[in-house]
Amino acid sequence: MLQFMLLFSRQGKLRLQKWYVAHPDKQKKKITRELITTILARKPKMCSFLEWKDLKIVYKRYASLYFCCAIDQDDNELLTLEIIHRYVELLDKYFGSVCELDIIFNFEKAYFILDELLLGGEIQETSKKNVLKAIAAQDLLQEEETPQGFFEDHGLG
Amino acid sequence: MPAVRGDGMRGLAVFISDIRNCKSKEAEIKRINKELANIRSKFRGDKTLDGYQKKKYVCKLLFIFLLGHDIDFGHMEAVNLLSSNKYSEKQIGYLFISVLISANNELMKLIIQSIKNDLSSRNPIHVNLALQCIANIGSREMAETFGSEIPKLLVSGDTIDVVKQSAALCLLRLLRTLSDIIPSGEWTSRIVHLLNDQHMGVVTSAVNLIDALVKKNPDEYKGCISLAVSRLSRIVTASYTDLQDYTYYFVPAPWLSMKLLRLLQNYPPPEDPGVRGRLIECLETILNKAQEPPKSKKVQHSNAKNAVLFEAISLIIHMDSEPNLLVRACNQLGQFLQHRETNLRYLALESMCLLATSEFSHEAVKKHQETVVTALKTERDVSVRQRAVDLLYAMCDKTNAEEIVGEMLNYLETADYSIREEMVMKVAILAEKYASDYTWYVDVILNLIRIAGDYVSEEVWYRVIQIVINREDVQGYAAKTVFESLQAPACHENMVKVAGYILGEFGNLIAGDQRSSPFVQFNLLHSKYHLCAAQTRALLLTTYVKFVNLFPEIRVDIQNILKSNSNVRNSEVELQQRSMEYLQLSQIASSDVLATVLEEMPPFPERESSILAILKKKKPGMSEGVTGPLKENKHPAAVINNTGVSYTKNSENAPSLAVSADLLGISSSLHQPTINSAPPASSNNTSTNLLVDVFGETTSPTAGGAKSAIGDGIIVKNEESLKKFICKHNGILFENDLLQIGIKSEYRQNLCQMGLFYGNKTNFQFLSFTPSISSPNNLSTKLNIQVKPVDTVVEAGAQVHQILNVECIEDFTDLPLLTIQFIYCNVQQKLTLRLPLTINKFSEPTVMNSESFFTRWKNLNNPTQEAQKIFKATYPMDSEAVKAKLIGFGIQLLTGIDPNPENYVCAGIIHTRTLQVGCLIRLEPNTQAQMYRLTIRSSKDTVSKELCKLLHELF
């Protein structure tokens, strides 16, 4: 199973983290720091897989963002790369050519999309169409609600 | 500021922009603190906040947390959001909780209540939100609360597909938290049949769950094999348009295919010839497709396709029964070794390591040696080079050892620091394992020290010394070679240690040559003395005193060194003491005494290479002979022998070794005085009865505990009869009104042939009689059991004989299960028994004298190597009965070893394919307290534990 997924920028800033196994916050920070340093130090064209402690790390860079997954020893590395790719495709489709800023400003959406793709560290739905359908249904529910906050944010509330 | 999707919280977007515009870290912290203060006052304020505001602030807190700051409030507000009737608020509440709330939070009760409400909602989107939250947190409390609800949701006909998908994975998550929520009985087949579901998404989710359930209970879920095979077959033969959106870059359902192939790796090759045939067809199709031209140039296409291919190869390796497929797999991987994609080269090297362990493909793997060596030299990525090292290690055998070791030594000169130590160990192991000529072995190890001295661990140089001491034919050569190595201008300290030790023992063998006369040897060694650390100097001092015995002509020179101020007044106490004592010894003792005290070291007891043990510990799964999935070997026993250390002062004192009463390191007078209430004498088991059980070829007809009527699929508790079989090979395993099962078995080293005799006691035929053996947990990787099929009809009153061939691959704790199914008078009968195959069956008694017993005992001084139990006697403490049981257990009863004649001391060797584990056992009875103390030491911790468990139940 997937143990965790991290999204971070070329500057080493963490953009998204999703943990499928419980760790204390302190340890999460340590793991994150270590991995970001390790991966940023690697050259392009190097292998996308590395052994790290008793886990396997699978990572790939898309534009300015690194996507990094930790998986168990017996998990399939290549398909983990494709999970990352599917996630990127979903973000891209949803935001319309996604960029790092979209993920920063809509981090909650990035989480919601991830939750439809992966659950408990395993792949839940591989069909792009079905994931987008689920997200669209969520958005629809929101739109049906009265946008009362709209007025407040403009000082009308 | 980019457009914000969905309902858009403007306040949040403004805040994020502010943070991004901060020029410095300090400014950012200032802005965050301002915001935190603002949110805190809002939450505390008198004005009640509406849902939108709460959502907005909770979201801001979440963002602040993601920036790496700690958040210590807002949890209550987030929990409040859960009960909002607005979906967007609820969703943010759940997000905050999954990211920020730990399983033991005091708000958990409230959270669980909200989840309950949402689970019973009629809106599937709400249900899914709740399921996702459970899967994200997955606490024990949640497992207890929802463990019985979720299976219902999963198999109910009313549940829509997306909810089923989440429910399957949610259940899987809870199962990982709390394994006893496993649905069984009626659920089994309904869950298994999810593999047939029309919705591919449901199957993809469910197969993950089924895989986990199978791992826990392979037998119960056996039905999934044929379903998985037919599902797989439908996918691999589908065209890429058939599966619509489940086709990924022209590859039909790669995730599902991969999971199905993985699921099948939990079982041996299918028994049913039809299913087996279909599976082989699938695997062939996958291999064929790999040869077809790609349907797309995109890397996603090749990744998905190859992911399935690699998984298929894993299954082929796991089945290890189709030579043709294994060789094809190997050729395919061979192509990948030269692929331009680094990822594929990496994976091919990794996969080939496993292929190298199969007898069918080992030769095919060897053909690629040259390519792998090139990879080792030219790959730019150290993680790929590491894989190449692993593969060279795995493909090494007698025929190519010299070449491979040579290449590895060459590479070592420039190897990355991160992999040097491991390479050194691998080279050392290969050189030892495949040495036909031990001079070669000595050369290799000395080369290792020369090239990578810093990375040569103690185990490596201890080992070369053990081997030189044990092999007379190589001693002269070793002495000559170390002497030459010492002459090099730069000489690693490890080389000094090895040379010191070997010359101290065998310097006389080269002393005839003027160029290496005693005095030259001594001077050469001593020229290094002052450059060395204290530990090495201590060793050299011992060498010097050994020289006193070997070469009386240089005694005075040595005495001068020993009494020099820098030694007798050394600040290291150890050096001071050695100098003083050795000096005295050389001055006082007669040459006879010297010759005895400083005698050549006796051979070391043969044992598993301690380097191998270290390597196993460092790199589980990468050690030799591991054929099972890598996971099983995750935490192998640490067998660290500190041999060689005894070459300090103790070795000189060895002959006068006084056997004190407590040499074993445990005081024999200590018998838990606090527990002194004698247990009631167990009168129902007389010792005579026990003797009959232990020795008797034929036992009382009915084995205890097995009297329950045979119903449909009962598991028979045959604990009592199992216990009896611990000490004997033959007897009745089970008997009821219909059936009697007898066992007759023979053991030789790690092999066993077990005959099972099924007797039909009735006046009617048994039809469809099928006994089958299964291995719970990962037992199948540890015991290789081959079963000869039997006739499916058992005539009235007849007996059927079935032969089992068992090979013990590594030590184990679980017992194999024997399931017998048959039809008697049109009624299906099924029963499951545990087979009495315990690890002690592979033990052979070993005779040894007290000296070697104590040496071995002391060498096994790692706390994990010892298992001990203090327990009350269940049976009368009759000495003859105890002895009979110990002998029946497969170990040698040694007399005259323990100073206390009441105690029993035994030794045996457990044979497995991968290694032999020597076991030493001491049983101390305390008749007054009616207690025993059992202590077992062996080179493998799991063996000590298991033997202790098995043995203590017998007394």
Side-chain angles (χ1 to χ4, degrees):
Chain A
M1 75 180 263
L2 213 79
Q3 304 263 328
F4 56 85
M5 188 186 216
L6 303 174
L7 267 67
F8 53 89
S9 71
R10 225 153 34 118
Q11 289 74 34
K13 283 214 166 196
L14 189 61
R15 293 305 181 202
L16 205 74
Q17 47 172 324
K18 180 81 186 179
W19 299 83
Y20 295 103
V21 281
H23 292 296
D25 280 346
K26 220 171 142 188
Q27 203 187 339
K28 285 186 194 168
K29 280 186 186 165
K30 189 166 166 263
I31 294 175
T32 311
R33 240 189 349 258
E34 257 180 61
L35 274 179
I36 293 180
T37 327
T38 311
I39 291 174
L40 288 179
R42 289 174 64 85
K43 299 187 188 71
K45 288 251 173 167
M46 275 192 168
C47 183
S48 309
F49 319 128
L50 47 135
E51 292 202 338
W52 188 77
K53 313 253 158 96
D54 54 347
L55 297 175
K56 291 195 289 201
I57 303 297
V58 176
Y59 72 94
K60 187 161 178 174
R61 184 177 149 187
Y62 286 86
S64 61
L65 266 190
Y66 281 87
F67 291 71
C68 161
C69 295
I71 54 175
D72 288 334
Q73 281 297 336
D74 56 356
D75 280 324
N76 193 304
E77 295 97 335
L78 285 174
L79 279 181
T80 309
L81 267 185
E82 295 319 305
I83 289 179
I84 293 178
H85 186 73
R86 179 106 295 183
Y87 185 45
V88 173
E89 284 183 340
L90 287 166
L91 293 171
D92 202 54
K93 195 92 184 165
Y94 184 79
F95 289 107
S97 48
V98 67
C99 66
E100 195 182 334
L101 278 184
D102 291 316
I103 295 173
I104 297 172
F105 279 92
N106 301 282
F107 67 91
E108 79 284 7
K109 275 290 172 221
Y111 270 115
F112 298 150
I113 296 173
L114 191 57
D115 273 345
E116 293 295 329
L117 178 68
L118 293 167
L119 191 60
E122 304 283 358
I123 187 121
Q124 169 170 230
E125 179 54 271
T126 66
S127 153
K128 192 157 67 173
K129 231 190 267 168
N130 288 351
V131 174
L132 290 170
K133 219 158 66 186
I135 299 290
Q138 292 176 11
D139 282 351
L140 192 70
L141 271 185
Q142 283 184 10
E143 278 160 28
E144 285 164 359
E145 296 159 5
T146 4
Q148 61 174 133
F150 179 81
F151 297 102
E152 280 169 33
D153 277 337
H154 290 82
L156 306 168
Chain B
M1 197 165 72
V4 178
R5 293 287 302 255
D7 63 332
M9 286 165 281
R10 222 184 105 79
L12 173 67
V14 170
F15 173 59
I16 296 175
S17 289
D18 280 1
I19 295 287
R20 289 184 53 76
N21 290 334
C22 286
K23 294 274 185 294
S24 65
K25 191 84 198 154
E26 290 71 39
E28 185 185 306
I29 291 173
K30 214 172 139 203
R31 178 68 185 87
I32 286 171
N33 285 337
K34 187 180 148 208
E35 193 64 39
L36 284 174
N38 172 39
I39 300 173
R40 215 186 287 266
S41 75
K42 293 279 187 204
F43 282 168
R44 277 210 206 115
D46 308 331
K47 221 177 98 188
T48 45
L49 300 176
D50 63 26
Y52 171 79
Q53 285 168 316
K54 267 189 219 157
K55 175 179 90 169
K56 186 175 72 183
Y57 294 130
V58 163
C59 233
K60 281 183 180 173
L61 288 179
L62 203 48
F63 183 78
I64 293 171
F65 174 77
L66 292 175
L67 287 175
H69 300 264
D70 296 329
I71 297 296
D72 54 6
F73 68 103
H75 302 72
M76 194 60 209
E77 284 73 15
V79 173
N80 283 338
L81 285 177
L82 297 185
S83 47
S84 163
N85 51 14
K86 294 213 174 73
Y87 178 75
S88 63
E89 289 165 13
K90 195 189 271 295
Q91 199 181 18
I92 293 293
Y94 274 121
L95 179 61
F96 184 92
I97 285 162
S98 7
V99 175
L100 262 153
I101 288 194
S102 58
N104 48 9
N105 193 287
E106 64 230 4
L107 296 173
M108 201 44 86
K109 287 239 162 6
L110 288 173
I111 297 171
I112 286 183
Q113 190 50 49
S114 294
I115 293 177
K116 261 189 197 155
N117 296 340
D118 284 327
L119 266 189
S120 54
S121 158
R122 285 203 290 176
N123 186 340
I125 298 186
H126 287 222
V127 179
N128 258 10
L129 208 47
L131 287 172
Q132 284 167 1
C133 181
I134 301 174
N136 277 323
I137 295 176
S139 66
R140 205 188 156 84
E141 204 177 343
M142 285 182 169
E144 282 159 358
T145 318
F146 301 112
S148 56
E149 275 310 299
I150 294 170
K152 290 182 201 153
L153 208 54
L154 178 60
V155 296
S156 155
D158 302 332
T159 312
I160 65 163
D161 293 331
V162 279
V163 175
K164 272 192 194 168
Q165 280 170 274
S166 300
L169 292 177
C170 187
L171 186 58
L172 170 59
R173 177 69 174 83
L174 295 185
L175 211 67
R176 285 177 176 150
T177 310
L178 196 66
S179 59
D180 45 320
I181 58 160
I182 301 179
S184 66
E186 50 167 330
W187 298 104
T188 309
S189 99
R190 297 174 76 178
I191 290 179
V192 166
H193 274 87
L194 288 171
L195 287 175
N196 263 343
D197 202 284
Q198 290 197 326
H199 191 277
M200 295 284 279
V202 173
V203 193
T204 311
S205 287
V207 70
N208 289 310
L209 172 67
I210 295 170
D211 186 66
L213 290 167
V214 159
K215 287 202 164 75
K216 299 248 187 297
N217 198 345
D219 252 15
E220 190 170 347
Y221 285 85
K222 235 177 181 160
C224 73
I225 300 176
S226 64
L227 290 180
V229 171
S230 45
R231 189 90 210 194
L232 182 67
S233 157
R234 268 179 281 160
I235 297 172
V236 296
T237 53
S239 85
Y240 62 84
T241 47
D242 290 356
L243 300 173
Q244 294 160 356
D245 211 31
Y246 288 92
T247 294
Y248 181 84
Y249 290 85
F250 303 100
V251 182
W255 280 278
L256 180 52
S257 311
M258 178 269 284
K259 295 281 178 184
L260 289 169
L261 288 162
R262 188 136 277 284
L263 177 65
L264 291 167
Q265 289 174 50
N266 292 310
Y267 292 101
E271 285 155 19
D272 180 304
V275 177
R276 192 184 172 122
R278 279 178 92 180
L279 176 56
I280 289 172
E281 254 170 51
C282 287
L283 295 170
E284 276 169 348
T285 312
I286 295 171
L287 284 170
N288 290 342
K289 279 191 180 171
Q291 295 300 327
E292 289 170 12
K295 293 195 174 63
S296 155
K297 284 213 169 74
K298 290 226 160 85
V299 67
Q300 283 76 27
H301 171 70
S302 77
N303 277 353
K305 190 168 147 186
N306 292 327
V308 176
L309 176 65
F310 275 111
E311 212 55 63
I313 292 176
S314 288
L315 179 57
I316 292 170
I317 297 170
H318 169 82
M319 289 166 63
D320 201 20
S321 58
E322 303 294 325
N324 174 34
L325 289 179
L326 280 162
V327 171
R328 280 191 69 186
C330 186
N331 293 340
Q332 182 61 53
L333 293 177
Q335 288 181 17
F336 285 155
L337 285 183
Q338 314 208 32
H339 202 278
R340 61 191 163 76
E341 279 271 327
T342 315
N343 290 347
L344 282 183
R345 295 197 302 276
Y346 176 97
L347 293 174
L349 289 166
E350 188 179 58
S351 234
M352 254 195 191
C353 269
L354 288 178
L355 271 179
T357 60
S358 164
E359 53 169 322
F360 299 118
S361 48
H362 183 82
E363 286 305 313
V365 171
K366 278 165 64 184
K367 288 190 191 129
H368 302 285
Q369 185 179 323
E370 206 177 313
T371 320
V372 183
V373 170
T374 316
L376 181 64
K377 289 177 179 160
T378 57
E379 282 290 350
R380 283 189 296 173
D381 186 347
V382 58
S383 41
V384 186
R385 290 194 294 272
Q386 165 85 63
R387 291 281 85 89
V389 173
D390 290 343
L391 179 53
L392 284 176
Y393 178 74
M395 68 162 69
C396 192
D397 62 21
K398 266 208 153 50
T399 64
N400 56 13
E402 294 210 11
E403 258 176 82
I404 286 182
V405 166
E407 291 293 353
M408 285 169 92
L409 276 175
N410 276 343
Y411 175 63
L412 200 52
E413 308 219 19
T414 53
D416 309 74
Y417 296 115
S418 57
I419 60 174
R420 280 195 184 185
E421 189 184 352
E422 193 190 311
M423 277 194 76
V424 166
M425 286 198 269
K426 286 190 163 152
V427 169
I429 290 167
L430 292 178
E432 180 187 340
K433 200 166 159 196
Y434 299 116
S436 45
D437 171 5
Y438 277 87
T439 59
W440 174 71
Y441 168 75
V442 170
D443 283 340
V444 170
I445 302 296
L446 295 184
N447 265 327
L448 276 182
I449 298 177
R450 212 168 304 151
I451 296 168
D454 284 345
Y455 297 89
V456 173
S457 58
E458 291 187 327
E459 290 75 22
V460 173
W461 72 262
Y462 288 173
R463 188 69 185 162
V464 68
I465 284 169
Q466 282 174 28
I467 286 182
V468 170
I469 294 212
N470 288 10
R471 298 199 61 99
E472 217 171 296
D473 52 336
V474 76
Q475 290 163 353
Y477 180 79
K480 182 165 158 280
T481 320
V482 292
F483 178 77
E484 282 162 7
S485 304
L486 273 186
Q487 289 172 316
C491 176
H492 196 275
E493 191 166 337
N494 278 337
M495 185 70 86
V496 178
K497 291 181 189 166
V498 175
Y501 198 122
I502 289 182
L503 292 178
E505 295 293 328
F506 310 114
N508 54 328
L509 299 177
I510 55 168
D513 189 329
Q514 271 316 302
R515 286 165 300 176
S516 52
S517 69
F519 192 67
V520 176
Q521 284 184 39
F522 173 62
N523 266 345
L524 186 57
L525 273 178
H526 197 60
S527 68
K528 316 283 180 194
Y529 186 83
H530 297 281
L531 305 169
C532 292
Q535 196 205 0
T536 311
R537 289 195 207 179
L539 190 151
L540 286 178
L541 287 177
T542 309
T543 305
Y544 298 167
V545 76
K546 287 224 157 191
F547 276 173
V548 170
N549 175 43
L550 288 181
F551 312 126
E553 62 267 40
I554 57 168
R555 174 198 290 227
V556 180
D557 304 283
I558 290 168
Q559 284 171 340
N560 284 339
I561 299 295
L562 291 177
K563 65 182 157 205
S564 72
N565 271 345
S566 63
N567 280 330
V568 288
R569 297 207 180 152
N570 197 292
S571 57
E572 278 299 324
V573 174
E574 181 66 29
L575 294 183
Q576 214 184 83
Q577 188 177 356
R578 282 192 191 208
S579 309
M580 293 296 278
E581 288 178 4
Y582 291 165
L583 182 62
Q584 288 301 313
L585 188 68
S586 73
Q587 286 168 342
I588 297 167
S590 71
S591 60
D592 279 356
V593 172
L594 270 185
T596 316
V597 174
L598 301 172
E599 201 182 16
E600 195 177 294
M601 286 288 285
F604 287 89
E606 284 301 330
R607 59 160 59 90
E608 184 197 14
S609 162
S610 45
I611 315 169
L612 193 59
I614 302 278
L615 184 66
K616 276 189 200 159
K617 197 171 143 195
K618 269 180 70 88
K619 288 273 297 192
M622 278 303 156
S623 45
E624 41 125 52
V626 181
T627 47
L630 294 180
K631 281 232 102 157
E632 322 300 14
N633 234 21
K634 208 146 192 171
H635 299 291
V639 194
I640 306 164
N641 294 318
N642 284 330
T643 4
V645 185
S646 58
Y647 184 69
T648 54
K649 284 189 316 179
N650 287 346
S651 58
E652 285 82 36
N653 300 334
S656 60
L657 200 105
V659 183
S660 78
D662 203 17
L663 252 189
L664 293 181
I666 40 177
S667 107
S668 48
S669 62
L670 183 131
H671 263 214
Q672 292 281 333
T674 45
I675 312 169
N676 50 14
S677 63
S682 37
S683 53
N684 49 350
N685 275 302
T686 64
S687 57
T688 45
N689 250 342
L690 276 169
L691 274 177
V692 171
D693 282 347
V694 170
F695 289 125
E697 281 298 308
T698 52
T699 40
S700 47
T702 317
K707 55 180 182 233
S708 45
I710 294 187
D712 183 21
I714 52 160
I715 294 192
V716 181
K717 287 240 186 308
N718 55 338
E719 306 302 335
E720 266 315 303
S721 68
L722 278 176
K723 208 193 260 184
K724 272 192 246 169
F725 274 101
I726 293 179
C727 292
K728 59 177 191 168
H729 296 342
N730 308 323
I732 307 285
L733 178 67
F734 170 81
E735 182 162 24
N736 67 1
D737 293 339
L738 307 180
L739 180 70
Q740 184 194 53
I741 304 172
I743 291 189
K744 206 165 183 174
S745 40
E746 274 178 46
Y747 292 86
R748 200 167 48 81
Q749 300 203 323
N750 69 327
L751 303 176
C752 156
Q753 188 173 71
M754 180 179 272
L756 290 170
F757 299 84
Y758 306 100
N760 179 349
K761 291 169 64 179
T762 68
N763 296 324
F764 300 94
Q765 279 184 329
F766 291 168
L767 297 172
S768 306
F769 185 80
T770 39
S772 59
I773 305 287
S774 60
S775 302
N777 301 323
N778 54 7
L779 185 61
S780 58
T781 62
K782 300 176 172 177
L783 273 187
N784 184 3
I785 307 183
Q786 281 168 352
V787 190
K788 302 249 164 85
V790 289
D791 267 353
T792 53
V793 178
V794 187
E795 295 297 340
Q799 196 181 52
V800 180
H801 181 199
Q802 183 176 37
I803 296 207
L804 263 61
N805 286 316
V806 186
E807 187 198 7
C808 176
I809 299 167
E810 61 169 300
D811 69 289
F812 57 94
T813 51
D814 291 305
L815 299 186
L817 298 174
L818 167 68
T819 304
I820 298 151
Q821 285 175 291
F822 60 93
I823 296 169
Y824 166 67
C825 292
N826 290 328
V827 183
Q828 172 76 43
Q829 307 282 341
K830 180 179 174 190
L831 71 150
T832 301
L833 297 160
R834 302 210 291 160
L835 274 185
L837 250 171
T838 42
I839 182 70
N840 66 299
K841 297 285 180 192
F842 300 98
S843 163
E844 279 191 346
T846 330
V847 187
M848 58 179 80
N849 62 18
S850 88
E851 194 181 316
S852 59
F853 182 87
F854 283 115
T855 318
R856 285 169 206 230
W857 182 274
K858 274 201 201 152
N859 277 331
L860 297 170
N861 56 1
N862 190 319
T864 60
Q865 295 173 329
E866 183 183 281
Q868 191 177 68
K869 268 204 166 80
I870 296 168
F871 54 92
K872 285 196 176 179
T874 323
Y875 303 101
M877 296 177 80
D878 178 286
S879 150
E880 287 311 307
V882 171
K883 281 183 187 166
K885 284 179 191 174
L886 288 170
I887 293 167
F889 194 70
I891 45 184
Q892 182 72 38
L893 190 61
L894 303 167
T895 47
I897 301 248
D898 201 300
N900 179 352
E902 297 297 315
N903 295 344
Y904 307 91
V905 175
C906 309
I909 295 175
I910 306 270
H911 292 268
T912 71
R913 189 209 282 169
T914 42
L915 58 123
Q916 301 187 355
V917 184
C919 308
L920 305 174
I921 292 157
R922 192 194 204 196
L923 179 70
E924 300 157 276
N926 180 341
T927 30
Q928 207 179 356
Q930 287 287 306
M931 307 268 301
Y932 286 102
R933 178 163 65 177
L934 173 64
T935 314
I936 299 187
R937 286 191 179 184
S938 81
S939 49
K940 198 152 186 242
D941 57 352
T942 46
V943 172
S944 307
K945 271 200 206 92
E946 176 66 7
L947 288 181
C948 193
K949 199 185 105 206
L950 290 170
L951 201 53
H952 99 272
E953 289 177 346
L954 300 177
F955 301 104

